[in-house]
Amino acid sequence: MNIDVAAVTKQFGTFTALNAVDLHIASGELLALLGPSGSGKTTLLRIIAGLEWPDSGEVRFDGQDALDRSVRERDVGFVFQHYALFRHMSVFENIAFGLRVKPRRERKSEAEIRAHVSRLLELVQIGELADRFPAQLSGGQRQRVALARALAIEPKVLLLDEPFGALDAKVRKDLRRWLRHLHEELHVTSILVTHDQEEALDVADRVVVMDRGQIVQVGSAQDIYEQPATSFVHDFIGESIVLNATLDQGAVRVGEAEVGRTERSNGRARLFVRPHDVSLVTPQEGPLTGEVRALRALGPNQRVEIALDDITGESRLVEVEAGRNRHLGIGEKVGLKLDRYRLFEARP
Ligand code: ATP
């Protein structure tokens, strides 16, 4: 099922949680809504689910108005961060629940329910846990049950709100791989809300970045990382070094140093650079100079913390990446060359 959100606005009192949001979600897509806390992700998800109504705007499922349909009529499955499973029901019964409460004319026979739940248990790889109770499961296992329960009603849309948020890093990583594979098998149109950029970039076909109630960029993980549309996105996705720059007759200057050329007109700008886009050179070669403050091994590379000389900006102390074969000492003077950077508007 495809979903269209058009000009959706939602206020809570005088606070605008969503401001004229437009979004198209293609049938069978796994889309991630990514943004900081309070950016409106959950509100948008709840409006799509039918748990909340917009003040204005439209939501369409396969071109049909969805706003006049109840949650049940929308055929959506949910998994939340703390999806309370029924404590007094076994895993099997938790998953079967949605099937048992269906109106009589839609209800499957007991034999069909058992077969269906068994298939789901296999699908989410917890076949051996069918008779356990929620208290006897790990957090990761509980979320698998929650997902199987959401899938039991064969929803047309699957809504996942920070489903792995409460789990530790290792389990999270395993579960998101697994979710990706599950999605490749089922192709249910799915929306995953997360504030974890790695999770969004890892799992989703497309990532929607939200900031203060608006969508600021939509694209593949790579697009968003390589071509951030705004300084907010550059800062939010991946690591950034941020420097104050002046644009002067085609020169991009940081302090006195010319770090590159531009076609923009004279003025001020904020310069964003990724740590791996900085090359360490000798102090004579570098347009920028600084002193090594700390060194930390990181796989085949090392992270080098450098205090820049005579620089104003948000990042006087910067961390860059260099090969391990580059021998550096604390206190050593180095030069820095910016191989790639982006310019955004200066703060007013
Ligand atoms: P988080 O990652 O923290 O869940 P989010 O991006 O999902 O954040 P929302 O939960 O959509 O953000 O909330 C957006 C804003 O709307 C927040 O500032 C929140 O306080 C506010 N808000 C949400 N629901 C209500 C409500 N029922 N009444 C008043 N304000 C609300």
Side-chain angles (χ1 to χ4, degrees), residues 12 15 17 35-44 52 161-162 193 195:
F12 293 109
F15 179 79
S37 185
S39 55
K41 308 179 296 291
T42 297
T43 304
L44 181 56
E52 195 90 68
D161 194 351
E162 302 268 4
V193 163
H195 63 263

Side-chain angles (χ1 to χ4, degrees), residues 242-280:
V242 188
L243 302 168
N244 290 335
T246 48
L247 314 180
D248 175 21
Q249 317 276 347
V252 180
R253 289 186 203 284
V254 172
E256 292 299 305
E258 179 174 330
V259 297
R261 306 289 299 172
T262 182
E263 304 198 332
R264 294 192 189 202
S265 49
N266 290 357
R268 296 189 308 123
R270 285 164 88 215
L271 182 153
F272 284 69
V273 57
R274 302 280 185 209
H276 53 80
D277 286 333
V278 179
S279 300
L280 289 186

Side-chain angles (χ1 to χ4, degrees), residues 10-60:
K10 176 75 184 174
Q11 306 240 145
F12 293 109
T14 56
F15 179 79
T16 304
L18 293 174
N19 189 357
V21 168
D22 290 312
L23 183 62
H24 175 76
I25 303 152
S27 186
E29 187 174 25
L30 199 177
L31 186 100
L33 291 182
L34 176 67
S37 185
S39 55
K41 308 179 296 291
T42 297
T43 304
L44 181 56
L45 202 72
R46 288 172 58 83
I47 286 174
I48 293 171
L51 295 166
E52 195 90 68
W53 270 262
D55 299 324
S56 56
E58 290 175 43
V59 177
R60 286 186 294 272

Side-chain angles (χ1 to χ4, degrees), residues 52-318:
E52 195 90 68
W53 270 262
D55 299 324
S56 56
E58 290 175 43
V59 177
R60 286 186 294 272
F61 285 3
D62 276 343
Q64 307 280 315
D65 180 18
L67 291 177
D68 62 359
R69 293 190 221 162
S70 68
V71 181
R72 201 168 269 207
E73 291 166 336
R74 288 190 202 189
D75 256 338
V76 293
F78 306 96
V79 180
F80 298 122
Q81 181 172 344
H82 298 287
Y83 201 124
L85 296 172
F86 301 118
R87 276 185 299 165
H88 56 284
M89 282 186 196
S90 68
V91 165
F92 189 96
E93 287 304 321
N94 262 283
I95 299 172
F97 181 79
L99 301 172
R100 297 205 193 286
V101 298
K102 277 208 183 258
R104 191 176 293 271
R105 64 194 146 74
E106 292 173 29
R107 206 178 304 156
K108 294 177 190 288
S109 70
E110 185 59 27
E112 283 168 334
I113 290 178
R114 300 205 84 78
H116 187 61
V117 173
S118 299
R119 270 201 307 279
L120 283 163
L121 283 163
E122 291 311 315
L123 187 69
V124 302
Q125 299 163 349
I126 48 170
E128 71 288 1
L129 304 178
D131 298 325
R132 294 231 194 138
F133 285 82
Q136 301 166 314
L137 302 175
S138 72
Q141 289 167 338
R142 273 185 217 154
Q143 287 310 73
R144 285 175 193 254
V145 177
L147 202 63
R149 186 164 76 168
L151 291 169
I153 57 160
E154 298 178 61
K156 299 225 168 66
V157 181
L158 187 60
L159 303 176
L160 308 159
D161 194 351
E162 302 268 4
F164 312 135
L167 308 173
D168 66 51
K170 167 82 175 73
V171 178
R172 265 183 102 118
K173 223 169 186 158
D174 289 348
L175 278 185
R176 66 187 193 228
R177 292 267 149 73
W178 165 80
L179 177 66
R180 180 72 234 170
H181 290 142
L182 188 69
H183 182 259
E184 275 158 15
E185 215 161 298
L186 300 177
H187 278 292
V188 181
T189 309
S190 305
I191 307 177
L192 169 74
V193 163
T194 179
H195 63 263
D196 178 342
Q197 40 160 303
E198 206 181 302
E199 185 163 291
L201 303 184
D202 218 20
V203 171
D205 300 315
R206 279 194 310 155
V207 178
V208 173
V209 185
M210 295 191 66
D211 179 29
R212 288 171 291 175
Q214 288 185 305
I215 290 176
V216 285
Q217 192 166 4
V218 182
S220 70
Q222 193 173 351
D223 287 346
I224 287 177
Y225 184 77
E226 304 268 338
Q227 309 283 338
T230 65
S231 54
F232 165 81
V233 179
H234 201 301
D235 223 9
F236 187 65
I237 310 285
E239 272 181 82
S240 303
I241 296 166
V242 188
L243 302 168
N244 290 335
T246 48
L247 314 180
D248 175 21
Q249 317 276 347
V252 180
R253 289 186 203 284
V254 172
E256 292 299 305
E258 179 174 330
V259 297
R261 306 289 299 172
T262 182
E263 304 198 332
R264 294 192 189 202
S265 49
N266 290 357
R268 296 189 308 123
R270 285 164 88 215
L271 182 153
F272 284 69
V273 57
R274 302 280 185 209
H276 53 80
D277 286 333
V278 179
S279 300
L280 289 186
V281 292
T282 63
Q284 294 73 29
E285 287 172 305
L288 298 172
T289 55
E291 191 182 292
V292 176
R293 287 289 165 84
L295 295 163
R296 189 157 48 84
L298 188 84
N301 291 328
Q302 56 185 336
R303 299 286 289 199
V304 187
E305 192 181 290
I306 299 167
L308 293 176
D309 298 331
D310 313 318
I311 294 297
T312 63
E314 287 144 63
S315 314
R316 207 183 91 75
L317 206 57
V318 302

